[in-house]
Amino acid sequence: MRKSLVTAVPTKAELPAPIPQAPSIALALGGGGARGLAHILILEAFDELGIRPAFIAGTSIGAIYGAAYAAGLSAAHIRAHTEEVLAQRLDLARNLIAARSDPVQKIFRLFALRSSLLKPESLLEHVLPSRVPRRFSDLQIPLAVVATDFYAQDTVVFSEGDLRQAIAASIALPVIFQPVIINNRAFMDGGLVDPLPYDLAAAAADISVAIDVSGAPRSDPRDMGPGAVEAIVACSQILQRSLVREKLKRQQPDIYIDVDVDAFHVLEFHRFREILAAAAPAKDLLKRKLGLLMASHTVPAGEAVPAITDQSSDTIEPPPVRRRRLSLGLKPRKRKG
């Protein structure tokens, strides 16, 4: 007698429950000058949770730290390198800060360069860790770097080619840095058009995390008003803050962290340790929010999501699952309206 090759088909109730997959996370690091040193603590939060972003988008100083993390460096390595760089080049930072009280003339005398401005490419050679590669293709995590096309007055997203050139374009703050010329196009600070590129992050992963270090202009009743350079730089920060606020009205990331760094000027890199201390609550908040969102995505259906007490009383809704990844290149993004 032939044996039947037909076996009993298990019912749905008899099938083992599918193993939930961890959601992908995309990280957006915003611009803010020295305030962006707070990004180091954000990267520490990811390392401590054992989470690696699937995608990173960065503007200005956010592009610097985004590139270092995308290169595979740990937050501890990035922190140690930053401390070393700032310790060795403290005199340069102090000269930049002192120049605020005497319009641009002190900068003119300090740096005998064409147009009397710093070259961002030269600065990056000193501040980027040596293990950061020179091309996007050699990064361990996909990275998008935002810059401004000065004459086209539009946003440009770099995701391939020369990595350091793209970062230099993204950090080229007017007055402080020269524009970066690429293919006969002049590029400047990405914060002028997209200070916090969480829209790129939202299109690239299941969960988008946005870190805002733009801050607000600090006030000091002892001052009669800001100096010339301070005013120019602060105006750029006011613009960035306004752009982020308007953007949040239209679209919100799954996790938004507004780091309290208002007490620091954008050129006060010498206050490194104070900035990190001020950013510690933001790090703790991010870890709590990430923990809740990760749990909401990975627990089997029917099980309760662990409650997380948050003194900020933020209510976190489980985010929708993203359906596609964004293909990025050197081209302007289309604007609505």
Side-chain angles (χ1 to χ4, degrees):
M1 177 183 295
R2 296 180 58 186
K3 294 182 179 180
S4 173
L5 299 180
V6 179
T7 57
V9 178
T11 65
K12 184 177 181 180
E14 296 171 332
L15 290 172
I19 300 175
Q21 298 295 316
S24 59
I25 298 176
L27 174 63
L29 300 175
R35 294 166 172 173
L37 295 170
H39 288 319
I40 294 173
L41 265 69
I42 299 304
L43 302 180
E44 288 180 353
F46 275 85
D47 281 355
E48 291 171 12
L49 290 171
I51 298 173
R52 203 70 172 163
F55 178 85
I56 300 174
T59 296
S60 198
I61 193 168
I64 294 178
Y65 283 117
Y69 204 57
L73 302 182
S74 68
H77 182 106
I78 295 170
R79 180 172 187 156
H81 176 81
T82 300
E83 290 180 330
E84 180 183 0
V85 167
L86 293 180
Q88 292 177 349
R89 293 167 179 84
L90 193 55
D91 289 340
L92 173 60
R94 284 173 175 163
N95 285 329
L96 284 174
I97 296 164
R100 291 181 290 143
S101 61
D102 180 11
V104 189
Q105 294 306 315
K106 286 188 178 180
I107 298 181
F108 287 1
R109 296 191 294 270
L110 186 60
F111 308 104
L113 303 173
R114 186 181 69 82
S115 302
S116 302
L117 299 175
L118 288 167
K119 292 187 67 175
E121 300 96 329
S122 299
L123 180 66
L124 284 180
E125 291 301 319
H126 297 292
V127 302
L128 276 181
S130 59
R131 287 172 54 188
V132 176
R134 294 191 171 272
R135 303 195 66 80
F136 280 90
S137 57
D138 294 324
L139 293 170
Q140 296 184 15
I141 299 174
L143 173 71
V145 173
V146 177
T148 301
D149 187 323
F150 180 76
Y151 291 108
Q153 302 179 35
D154 209 345
T155 306
V156 173
V157 176
F158 294 90
S159 61
E160 58 186 20
D162 191 319
L163 173 61
R164 299 192 179 209
Q165 195 175 48
I167 299 173
S170 186
I171 69 170
L173 183 68
V175 177
I176 302 299
F177 293 109
Q178 291 180 9
V180 175
I181 307 300
I182 305 175
N183 297 331
N184 296 319
R185 298 164 69 180
F187 294 98
M188 302 193 76
D189 186 9
L192 299 174
V193 287
D194 194 355
L196 187 56
Y198 60 80
D199 49 333
L200 301 179
D206 301 323
I207 296 174
S208 58
V209 177
I211 309 301
D212 188 356
V213 293
S214 60
R218 63 178 184 180
S219 60
D220 190 334
R222 298 169 297 179
D223 292 342
M224 296 301 294
V229 173
E230 180 178 3
I232 293 172
V233 174
C235 284
S236 174
Q237 296 305 120
I238 293 172
L239 168 65
Q240 292 187 33
R241 192 74 168 173
S242 298
L243 287 173
V244 171
R245 291 294 170 267
E246 289 301 314
K247 192 173 176 180
L248 287 170
K249 293 177 182 179
R250 302 190 306 270
Q251 176 187 1
Q252 293 188 0
D254 298 306
I255 295 178
Y256 169 75
I257 303 293
D258 187 4
V259 187
D260 185 6
V261 285
D262 294 0
F264 308 97
H265 189 274
V266 296
L267 297 179
E268 290 184 328
F269 288 92
H270 64 292
R271 300 179 68 184
F272 169 72
R273 290 180 177 81
E274 295 175 69
I275 293 172
L276 293 190
K283 172 185 174 179
D284 294 338
L285 178 60
L286 173 62
K287 291 176 70 173
R288 292 197 300 271
K289 288 191 173 187
L290 269 177
L292 178 57
L293 272 181
M294 294 294 287
S296 69
H297 275 268
T298 57
V299 295
E303 290 190 15
V305 176
I308 294 181
T309 303
D310 185 353
Q311 293 180 352
S312 65
S313 300
D314 290 340
T315 300
I316 309 171
E317 298 294 337
V321 175
R322 312 296 178 189
R323 292 181 293 275
R324 63 186 180 88
R325 290 186 180 275
L326 188 65
S327 176
L328 302 173
L330 176 54
K331 59 183 180 179
R333 293 189 287 110
K334 298 293 185 181
R335 294 180 177 276
K336 296 182 179 180

